[in-house]
Amino acid sequence: MKDQPADIDESALRRALTAWKIDAASLTYAPVGFGDHHWTAVDTGGRPWFVTVADLAYKPHCGTGTRAAYGGLRRAMDTAASLREDLGFVVAPERTPDGGTVLRLDERYAVSVFPFLDATSGEFGQVLDAEERGRVLDLLAELHRAAPPASVSVLAPELPSRAALEAALGELDRPWSGGPYAESARALVTEHAVGFRHRLAAFDREAAALRERDAPRVVTHGEPHPGNLLRLGTRPLLVDWDTAGLAVPERDLWHVARDADDLARYAAASGHVPDPAALTLYRLRWDLDDVSVYLNLFRAPHTRTADAEQSWEGLTGTLARLTGCTDDDAIA
């Protein structure tokens, strides 16, 4: 996130880092990513660390409410740490001496510590060429063949934030008062409400059909887009594992595969022939979930910040994309 949160006490964060035996000589906010907050810490021995503070109030994919979200986040981080033992591309959190991967900072926030890597990061929305996509698809095939760690959560295809989304749709006839974007968000959703509900109904049908097919589940990352890729030479690494869980492979694949050749390469590497309907489902799910995240932000107390502006642009673009067509898109 671009905006450093005022309610995170850096002295408390320094104290939390001692659970990893890190005595921070410096702590610098890093305005990167979207969703979590990040700092770079340098310990008294001169070693740098990458520190992530997760906002449990906005982690519906980990659980509803901060207590459940913390449990889900801990399972995801434990899963990543276990996967790292056999998969070199997994950038997982460091464990504390007692084996923990995440620590409560307070009721709302939780801390994880990662190795600081001198690597090139990708950007969300970046278009990968065929060679780069091939390397990522090979990486995903390796991940999907891995034995599931005991800590991994089983993920349903349905929207984790569905209740909050329905609450927002049910209150379009009354003012929203969260902050400067609240009423604009309500007006925008009202304008697109018919088309949006059409897409939501299509998603429900496809999610029910996927459940009926009872397709095999594998360990998935959840968001293997370029923004979560690091590059050390030509080898990609995957970061941000808080969305990890057992699901069908297409949950990952739609982020990467762009054509039939990509799907064929993955099938050859993994032994699994991708399901076009599941690819369509998870692409649609991503947009619906994004709308829910943005509406949660704008219905809650907020101010006019760079992060809020980015969220507004995301909401307008996602609603336009969702309601600008009625037929499901598919990978050729």
Side-chain angles (χ1 to χ4, degrees):
M1 301 290 276
K2 295 181 176 64
D3 306 312
Q4 182 172 349
D7 59 343
I8 294 180
D9 182 355
E10 287 197 350
S11 61
L13 182 55
R14 288 175 181 272
R15 290 194 296 273
L17 293 179
T18 63
W20 283 268
K21 305 298 183 183
I22 297 173
D23 183 9
S26 67
L27 195 60
T28 305
Y29 187 73
V32 296
F34 186 85
D36 291 335
H37 301 280
H38 306 284
W39 279 259
T40 299
V42 178
D43 64 27
T44 52
R47 180 176 178 179
W49 302 89
F50 192 72
V51 180
T52 293
V53 177
D55 188 343
L56 301 173
Y58 293 99
K59 288 257 181 224
H61 56 279
C62 291
T64 302
T66 57
R67 183 185 297 272
Y70 176 71
L73 177 63
R74 187 180 65 248
R75 289 190 294 274
M77 293 296 98
D78 287 350
T79 294
S82 295
L83 290 171
R84 179 178 54 192
E85 296 174 7
D86 297 313
L87 302 176
F89 57 80
V90 177
V91 180
E94 298 291 324
R95 292 190 183 274
T96 63
D98 63 1
T101 57
V102 61
L103 179 72
R104 290 294 286 262
L105 185 61
D106 55 28
E107 182 61 27
R108 178 170 176 173
Y109 295 106
V111 184
S112 293
V113 174
F114 296 82
F116 188 93
L117 300 177
D118 186 14
T120 302
S121 62
E123 296 182 6
F124 182 75
Q126 179 182 350
V127 177
L128 302 180
D129 62 30
E131 183 178 354
E132 291 174 311
R133 295 198 307 273
R135 284 194 286 265
V136 178
L137 289 166
D138 291 346
L139 175 154
L140 290 178
E142 188 176 353
L143 170 64
H144 295 167
R145 293 194 306 266
S151 56
V152 70
S153 296
V154 179
L155 305 179
E158 287 79 12
L159 292 170
S161 54
R162 182 60 177 268
L165 183 58
E166 291 289 354
L169 293 173
E171 296 180 358
L172 295 176
D173 60 345
R174 66 197 74 172
W176 293 358
S177 56
Y181 289 94
E183 278 293 85
S184 295
R186 182 173 73 95
L188 184 66
V189 176
T190 300
E191 176 187 350
H192 291 280
V194 173
F196 183 77
R197 286 194 177 279
H198 175 90
R199 300 297 275 174
L200 193 56
F203 171 80
D204 289 340
R205 291 192 298 271
E206 290 300 324
L210 179 61
R211 276 188 173 276
E212 289 180 4
R213 292 196 294 276
D214 195 25
R217 295 185 176 96
V218 299
V219 180
T220 60
H221 175 277
E223 299 183 353
H225 54 69
N228 284 334
L229 292 174
L230 297 179
R231 291 172 181 80
L232 283 174
T234 59
R235 180 163 174 78
L237 308 175
L238 263 177
V239 301
D240 285 358
W241 288 82
D242 65 295
T243 52
L246 281 182
V248 295
E250 290 79 5
R251 179 177 185 246
D252 284 341
L253 289 178
W254 81 267
H255 287 277
V256 183
R258 296 177 62 87
D259 54 38
D261 288 343
D262 288 345
L263 296 179
R265 176 165 181 158
Y266 173 81
S270 69
H272 170 75
V273 178
D275 176 3
L279 291 167
T280 295
L281 169 70
Y282 276 98
R283 183 188 295 107
L284 177 56
R285 186 185 191 272
W286 176 271
D287 281 343
L288 294 173
D289 196 50
D290 271 358
V291 170
S292 178
V293 169
Y294 298 138
L295 293 186
N296 283 344
L297 289 170
F298 292 140
R299 283 163 54 80
H302 67 274
T303 57
R304 194 176 297 276
T305 65
D307 287 329
E309 175 64 23
Q310 182 179 354
S311 297
W312 174 251
E313 292 175 359
L315 177 62
T316 56
T318 304
L319 279 175
R321 182 167 59 251
L322 277 170
T323 61
C325 59
T326 57
D327 295 327
D328 292 338
D329 299 323
I331 293 178

